[in-house]
């Protein structure tokens, strides 16, 4: 879809929003035209590369643009189409990858000095599946170093800027992918979500972002941060495009032993099903502590779902309140273990010293930025003798309590609704000096990582500052289909509200994928 | 159970050593203040009564994950070694490991 649609709300935010959405074709539409031979993948990729060249210098979403590889892949795809071969569900669709996803022969830095110049000897499973589906990888995007952060400011090469306001952050840690999709440089991006790193930047940039149930998408080739929390998820400009991308990357992978032994969830088929009779719990803890303009959007979203036939009621899940603390013990603990591998021996940076231990220390001291050092030390502390029971052990048990609380809530409700982030996009520099304030940016997204449940954000309205607000839909484990069903209804409601606000008759949006289906 | 201990400068110096990180005096001060605040915030977890609650280490329980025992190609040795900081005779090369002269 080219206008309105997923970010109909962005249209209501004025010139910036309109410019942002201009001329952006959906992944579904691109793949359709390329498959039918109406447009070449080469022309699609050239347009994306031109948009990146023109606009990324001001945005800094990309760490590496793979122009030559993208052109070659597009030519090969066009050749396949001409030869009559089926080119896949993402035929010719340009995709941006967060730079913690391994790409064979292409730099993969995690925005860290310690991996500068590293070219992995293999592709992540999601990258293999994208290529097999006909998608074209156009580049690697900026992130907080090793995905640790909520603003992309922890990148060793500097922050990505918000697509609508360069003085603000795009969120993080998948801020590069979210900004690239939000700015319309590419229709699809992949991020990783350990504590909200797909959903929070997607919300801030006014796009759709989704974290699957833990184990639905293979983590093979995702550089590990916190292994019991990490999931790769899609970023897109519409719910339908996010559904398409999820269906391509999901499904069992023998190379990841935490990958669930079940087929990819089918989520596209229920997007038009509506919410009549569904039970929606508006979660107090995901609304109460958010900024007034954000909580207003969540309430409006709940009202619209009720008008569409859902049974909507408020629910309290008090255990969510200690999620942040549990997360900031568990995630650093796992990170301190995972990042022990950066020892200057097998790949990446080495700073020479007289013996191995001194070389390890010199390498890690020079290679890691301050946030990564903070997390490694925090995790080492939480795991260390004498403190393990009081911190890591307690956090793991708190995690159980949170999961049990969600299970109770899901006996009464099909999905839960809340904010994705407590505020709209904040100013660059605003939270860097205060790590705890930065950690609070993830307070609404962290619970789903701890529970392993799926969650996604849909743009819904805008804040008092005119910047996008995301509303979050949470669902029980493996209920991705139901979650997408609700997300699609929210997307339609947001478009209707934006249309009404602009006094556009509904016909003005005719021709978008969404309306065509209705 | 008594309150968990607060985090001080010596603790930070200790964990930095364990994690093979070298900190300047100034960094030690900065990190101590920042980490102490996070640990302080974590009291809502460390003060929870969780007697009898089992720990969760993996959100979706799965067990005995096996794949078929079939030979397959590993990573190309030269390609892997090409990414290493230093190699010799097809192996990773590192500085002296123990304290003796080579």
């Amino acid at each position: 879809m080219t206008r309105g649609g997923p970010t109909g709300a962005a249209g209501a935010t004025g010139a910036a929003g309109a410019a942002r959405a201009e001329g952006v074709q959906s992944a579904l539409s691109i793949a359709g035209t390329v498959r039918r031979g109406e447009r070449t993948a080469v022309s699609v990729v050239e347009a994306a590369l031109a948009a990146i060249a023109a606009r990324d210098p001001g945005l800094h979403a990309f760490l590496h643009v793979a122009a030559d590889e993208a052109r070659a892949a597009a030519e090969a795809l066009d050749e396949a189409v001409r030869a009559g071969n089926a080119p896949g569900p993402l035929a010719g669709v340009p995709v941006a990858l967060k730079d913690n996803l391994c790409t064979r022969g292409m730099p993969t830095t995690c925005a860290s000095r310690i991996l500068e110049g590293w070219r992995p000897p293999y592709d992540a499973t999601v990258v293999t599946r994208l290529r097999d589906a006909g998608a074209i990888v156009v580049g690697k995007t900026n992130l907080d170093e090793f995905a640790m952060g909520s603003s992309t400011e922890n990148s060793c090469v500097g922050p990505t800027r918000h697509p609508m306001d360069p003085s603000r952050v795009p969120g993080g840690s998948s801020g590069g992918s979210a900004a690239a999709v939000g700015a319309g440089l590419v229709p699809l991006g992949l991020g990783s979500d350990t504590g909200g790193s797909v959903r929070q930047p997607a919300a801030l940039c006014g796009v759709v972002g989704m974290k699957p149930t833990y184990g639905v998408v293979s983590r093979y080739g995702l550089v590990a941060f916190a292994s019991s929390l990490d999931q790769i998820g899609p970023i897109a400009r519409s719910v339908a495009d996010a559904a398409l991308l999820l269906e391509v990357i999901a499904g069992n992978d023998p190379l990841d032993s935490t990958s669930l032994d079940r087929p990819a969830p089918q989520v596209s088929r229920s997007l038009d099903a509506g919410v009549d009779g569904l039970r929606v719990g508006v979660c107090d803890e995901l609304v109460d502590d958010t900024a007034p303009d954000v909580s207003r959007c969540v309430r409006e979203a709940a009202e619209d779902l009720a008008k569409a036939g859902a049974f909507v009621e408020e629910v309290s899940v008090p255990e969510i309140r200690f999620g942040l603390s549990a997360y900031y013990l568990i995630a650093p603990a796992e990170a301190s273990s995972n990042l022990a591998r950066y020892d200057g021996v097998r790949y990446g940076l080495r700073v020479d010293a007289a013996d191995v231990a001194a070389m390890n220390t010199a390498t890690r001291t020079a290679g890691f930025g301050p946030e990564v050092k903070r997390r490694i030390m925090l995790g080492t502390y939480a795991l260390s003798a004498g403190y393990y029971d009081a911190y890591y052990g307690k956090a793991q048990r708190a995690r159980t309590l949170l999961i049990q609380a969600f299970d109770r809530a899901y006996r009464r409700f099909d999905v839960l609704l809340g904010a994705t982030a407590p505020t709209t996009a904040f100013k660059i520099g605003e939270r860097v000096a205060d790590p705890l304030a930065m950690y609070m940016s993830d307070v609404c997204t962290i619970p789903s990582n701890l529970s392993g449940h799926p969650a996604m954000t849909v743009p819904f309205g805008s804040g008092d500052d005119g910047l996008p607000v995301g509303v979050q839909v949470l669902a029980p484990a493996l209920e991705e289909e139901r979650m997408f069903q609700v997300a699609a209804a929210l997307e339609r409601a947001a478009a209707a509200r934006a249309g009404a606000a602009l006094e556009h008759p509904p016909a003005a949006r005719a021709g978008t994928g969404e309306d065509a289906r209705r | 159970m008594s309150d968990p201990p607060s985090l001080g400068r010596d603790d930070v110096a200790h964990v930095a050593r364990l994690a093979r990180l070298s900190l300047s005096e100034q960094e030690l001060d900065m990190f101590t203040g920042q980490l102490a605040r996070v640990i302080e915030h974590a009291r809502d977890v460390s003060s929870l009564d969780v007697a009898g609650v089992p720990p969760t280490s993996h959100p979706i329980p799965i067990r005995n994950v096996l794949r078929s025992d079939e030979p397959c190609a590993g990573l190309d040795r030269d390609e892997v070694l090409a990414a290493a900081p230093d190699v010799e005779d097809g192996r990773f090369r590192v500085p002296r490991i123990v304290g003796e002269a080579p």
Side-chain angles (χ1 to χ4, degrees):
Chain A
M1 65 192 61
T2 53
R3 284 188 298 126
T7 49
T13 60
R20 203 166 60 91
E22 192 182 331
V24 179
Q25 201 182 353
S26 74
L28 272 167
S29 161
I30 290 172
T33 52
V34 169
R35 262 199 309 270
R36 292 189 297 269
E38 296 163 14
R39 191 177 177 193
T40 62
V42 167
S43 75
V44 175
V45 164
E46 289 299 343
L49 292 174
I52 293 167
R55 298 189 50 205
D56 198 56
L59 204 60
H60 196 222
F62 283 88
L63 296 181
H64 176 75
V65 179
D68 293 344
E69 294 97 325
R71 287 187 176 109
E75 279 166 18
L77 191 117
D78 286 334
E79 194 54 48
V81 171
R82 277 192 291 273
N85 299 328
L90 289 177
V93 177
V95 180
L97 301 176
K98 187 177 185 177
D99 202 28
N100 60 353
L101 293 165
C102 287
T103 41
R104 186 171 185 177
M106 194 187 287
T108 300
T109 67
C110 294
S112 179
R113 298 264 174 241
I114 214 157
L115 278 178
E116 218 164 9
W118 183 53
R119 291 169 187 264
Y122 60 93
D123 275 335
T125 295
V126 291
V127 175
T128 305
R129 290 189 177 170
L130 282 174
R131 296 193 205 281
D132 290 348
I136 312 289
V137 173
V138 295
K140 308 295 291 288
T141 57
N142 202 7
L143 65 153
D144 289 293
E145 185 177 359
F146 285 105
M148 297 177 187
S150 313
S151 67
T152 321
E153 290 166 290
N154 295 332
S155 164
C156 77
V157 287
T160 295
R161 293 173 185 277
H162 192 281
M164 291 165 66
D165 179 350
S167 73
R168 291 177 191 268
V169 303
S173 66
S174 313
S177 286
V181 174
L185 305 184
V186 286
L188 297 178
L190 281 185
S192 62
D193 192 314
T194 305
S197 281
V198 163
R199 290 163 287 156
Q200 185 259 17
L204 268 47
C205 290
V207 296
V208 175
M210 184 260 174
K211 183 197 87 75
T213 302
Y214 184 86
V216 159
V217 175
S218 167
R219 294 182 299 112
Y220 179 75
L222 166 67
V223 176
F225 161 14
S227 304
S228 81
L229 303 162
D230 296 340
Q231 267 291 285
I232 298 165
I235 297 173
R237 299 177 64 88
S238 71
V239 173
D241 274 3
L244 178 68
L245 181 50
L246 177 68
E247 287 169 356
V248 165
I249 62 172
N252 180 252
D253 175 16
L255 298 176
D256 173 3
S257 63
T258 63
S259 151
L260 298 174
D261 188 13
R262 50 167 52 235
Q266 295 303 302
V267 290
S268 292
R269 62 190 180 193
S270 60
L271 297 182
D272 298 323
V275 292
D276 196 18
L278 281 184
R279 301 166 302 164
V280 177
V282 182
C283 189
D284 292 343
E285 289 74 16
L286 301 179
V287 180
D288 288 351
D289 298 334
T290 61
D293 50 352
V294 173
S295 52
R296 174 178 47 77
C297 289
V298 179
R299 292 203 180 86
E300 288 175 357
E303 283 167 23
D304 287 356
L305 291 178
K307 276 183 211 151
F311 166 78
V312 179
E313 198 174 80
E314 290 186 8
V315 60
S316 173
V317 185
E319 288 79 357
I320 284 176
R321 294 208 187 276
F322 54 67
L324 189 85
S325 288
Y327 176 86
Y328 278 102
L329 295 169
I330 291 170
E334 295 185 11
S336 72
S337 171
N338 272 325
L339 273 64
R341 76 191 63 190
Y342 302 101
D343 55 8
V345 174
R346 290 153 299 165
Y347 36 71
L349 181 72
R350 173 184 293 186
V351 177
D352 277 317
D355 61 37
V356 162
M359 181 275 284
N360 294 157
T361 302
T363 298
R364 291 163 64 82
T365 300
F368 291 137
E371 181 59 26
V372 173
K373 288 176 181 171
R374 265 193 290 276
R375 305 245 187 147
I376 288 173
M377 290 191 288
L378 194 55
T380 306
Y381 180 74
L383 289 173
S384 61
Y387 303 128
Y388 182 97
D389 289 336
Y391 293 116
Y392 186 67
K394 279 274 176 87
Q396 283 193 310
R397 289 172 164 80
R399 189 174 184 183
T400 306
L401 293 177
L402 177 65
I403 293 171
Q404 291 170 347
F406 271 125
D407 288 344
R408 281 194 298 276
Y410 286 128
R411 272 180 230 138
R412 291 174 55 207
F413 298 100
D414 296 306
V415 296
L416 298 178
L417 202 67
T420 306
T423 65
T424 57
F426 46 94
K427 291 275 188 187
I428 288 176
E430 193 179 309
R431 298 181 191 173
V432 280
D434 183 353
L436 194 57
M438 187 69 87
Y439 296 171
M440 296 288 186
S441 313
D442 303 332
V443 69
C444 299
T445 44
I446 276 171
S448 306
N449 297 88
L450 289 171
S451 68
H453 295 156
M456 69 190 291
T457 183
V458 181
F460 197 100
S462 47
D464 297 338
D465 49 17
L467 292 166
V469 170
V471 167
Q472 192 179 196
V473 185
L474 299 83
L478 300 169
E479 294 291 349
E480 271 85 358
E481 185 176 1
R482 190 191 296 166
M483 182 175 77
F484 270 85
Q485 185 181 336
V486 175
L490 282 178
E491 182 180 62
R492 290 189 289 269
R497 274 184 188 265
L502 290 173
E503 296 179 341
H504 278 182
R509 294 193 316 281
T512 68
E514 210 53 64
D515 289 284
R517 276 200 308 275
R518 280 157 79 183
Chain B
M1 185 172 170
S2 59
D3 266 358
S6 59
L7 176 142
R9 208 168 184 272
D10 291 348
D11 295 310
V12 177
H14 176 62
V15 294
R17 238 182 347 263
L18 292 178
R20 301 229 163 132
L21 296 169
S22 160
L23 303 183
S24 68
E25 293 298 308
Q26 197 191 349
E27 285 175 318
L28 202 49
D29 287 335
M30 178 188 76
F31 285 130
T32 301
Q34 291 171 338
L35 297 183
R37 283 197 62 207
V38 177
I39 289 294
E40 179 63 31
H41 189 269
R43 272 182 201 282
D44 56 359
V45 162
S46 56
S47 62
L48 276 180
D49 180 6
V50 289
V53 179
T56 295
S57 57
H58 189 282
I60 312 286
I62 47 175
R63 56 193 69 188
N64 295 341
V65 178
L66 303 171
R67 59 181 148 119
S68 49
D69 185 17
E70 284 163 8
C72 60
L75 297 174
D76 181 78
R77 175 159 152 159
D78 291 338
E79 201 176 345
V80 170
L81 288 173
D86 198 3
V87 293
E88 188 179 301
D89 296 337
R91 287 166 291 179
F92 298 112
R93 187 174 193 273
V94 294
R96 197 176 66 192
I97 292 177
V98 286
E100 309 142 32

